[in-house]
């Protein structure tokens, strides 16, 4: 099983990105991490070009490679820090742009594009960290992304870490390990 970890913090060594990596490692699966800070993802323009053109997004940037990696992954870990009581702007842009996947056709597509969800049935893990609060709202945004994609949410981690480092927080690392093991039990 291959897992794709989406690291949504713009700081590479952030607690959020560390947790995404830890869950991926604890899963025991082959994994790849994508750091949104290093990948140019422009906002969705809402033009619906993707709907009329078999899921091809008119905005050319780092998302084209991410689309292919998402489709190849058996499971996805999505992490975002909590900014202003919700997910980061980088993660919101990423989530908005994945709408194009719903308009891609395959030989087995029979239903209308409204019913296509190419990630359906795959497991997802939602991760957020915060210095103070808002993690519940951020976690809801992440889990709703999986639900709209018709993925199975197999793990949720929302940690209030303050100014601490998760590497020094054994209880947080324990939850990451448990979540990674849950992810490894899912067979696609």
């Amino acid at each position: 099983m291959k897992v794709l970890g989406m690291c949504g913090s713009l700081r590479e060594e952030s607690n959020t990105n560390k947790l995404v990596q830890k869950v991926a490692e604890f899963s025991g699966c082959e994994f790849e991490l994508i750091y949104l800070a290093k990948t140019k993802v422009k906002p969705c323009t809402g033009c619906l070009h993707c709907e009329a053109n078999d899921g091809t997004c008119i905005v050319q940037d780092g998302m084209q490679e991410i689309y292919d990696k998402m489709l190849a992954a058996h499971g996805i870990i999505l992490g975002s820090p909590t900014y202003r009581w919700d997910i980061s702007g980088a993660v919101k842009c990423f989530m908005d742009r994945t709408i194009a996947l719903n308009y891609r056709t395959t030989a087995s597509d029979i239903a209308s594009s409204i019913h296509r969800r190419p990630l359906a049935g795959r497991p997802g893990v939602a991760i957020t960290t915060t210095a103070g609060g808002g993690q519940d709202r951020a976690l809801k945004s992440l889990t709703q992304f999986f639900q709209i994609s018709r993925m199975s949410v197999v793990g949720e981690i929302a940690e209030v870490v303050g100014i601490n480092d998760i590497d020094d927080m054994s209880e947080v690392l324990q939850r990451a390990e448990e979540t990674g093991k849950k992810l490894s039990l899912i067979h696609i």
Side-chain angles (χ1 to χ4, degrees):
M1 183 165 127
K2 182 164 184 178
V3 172
L4 183 64
M6 300 301 303
C7 298
S9 174
L10 299 182
R11 292 181 297 113
E12 188 172 343
E13 291 298 315
S14 71
N15 284 318
T16 300
N17 291 351
K18 286 179 183 180
L19 271 178
V20 170
Q21 182 173 346
K22 298 275 186 204
V23 170
E25 289 171 352
F26 285 129
S27 77
C29 300
E30 175 187 348
F31 69 90
E32 178 178 359
L33 301 178
I34 294 177
Y35 293 86
L36 290 178
K38 295 180 180 180
T39 307
K40 185 145 184 105
V41 177
K42 297 176 186 171
C44 178
T45 65
C47 68
L48 295 180
H49 182 273
C50 58
E51 182 178 18
N53 293 282
D54 199 30
T56 302
C57 183
I58 198 167
V59 179
Q60 295 297 305
D61 58 11
M63 275 303 291
Q64 281 62 41
E65 186 177 343
I66 293 173
Y67 292 140
D68 293 336
K69 290 179 180 195
M70 289 179 75
L71 291 171
H74 299 104
I76 297 174
I77 304 166
L78 179 55
S80 175
T82 302
Y83 292 163
R84 299 292 294 170
W85 304 281
D86 209 338
I87 57 174
S88 70
V91 172
K92 178 68 166 103
C93 282
F94 160 76
M95 289 174 20
D96 287 348
R97 292 285 301 286
T98 63
I99 189 68
L101 290 176
N102 295 339
Y103 299 111
R104 291 195 177 186
T105 55
T106 64
S108 63
D109 283 332
I110 297 170
S112 71
S113 63
I114 262 180
H115 300 292
R116 284 186 221 137
R117 295 293 187 269
L119 303 176
R122 298 177 196 195
V125 172
I127 296 173
T128 189
T129 62
T130 183
Q135 72 278 5
D136 293 335
R137 167 75 182 230
L139 189 63
K140 185 163 183 67
S141 293
L142 296 169
T143 58
Q144 282 182 325
F145 168 77
F146 290 132
Q147 292 163 350
I148 289 167
S149 300
R150 297 197 180 132
M151 295 176 67
S152 299
V153 179
V154 298
E156 301 176 7
I157 299 175
E159 296 294 341
V160 179
V161 295
I163 59 170
N164 299 304
D165 187 321
I166 61 134
D167 288 330
D168 300 326
M169 302 173 76
S170 60
E171 68 283 356
V172 174
L173 296 176
Q174 179 65 36
R175 284 190 283 280
E177 182 176 3
E178 291 166 2
T179 303
K181 287 179 179 177
K182 275 191 222 174
L183 183 59
S184 71
L185 297 174
I186 306 299
H187 299 286
I188 303 289

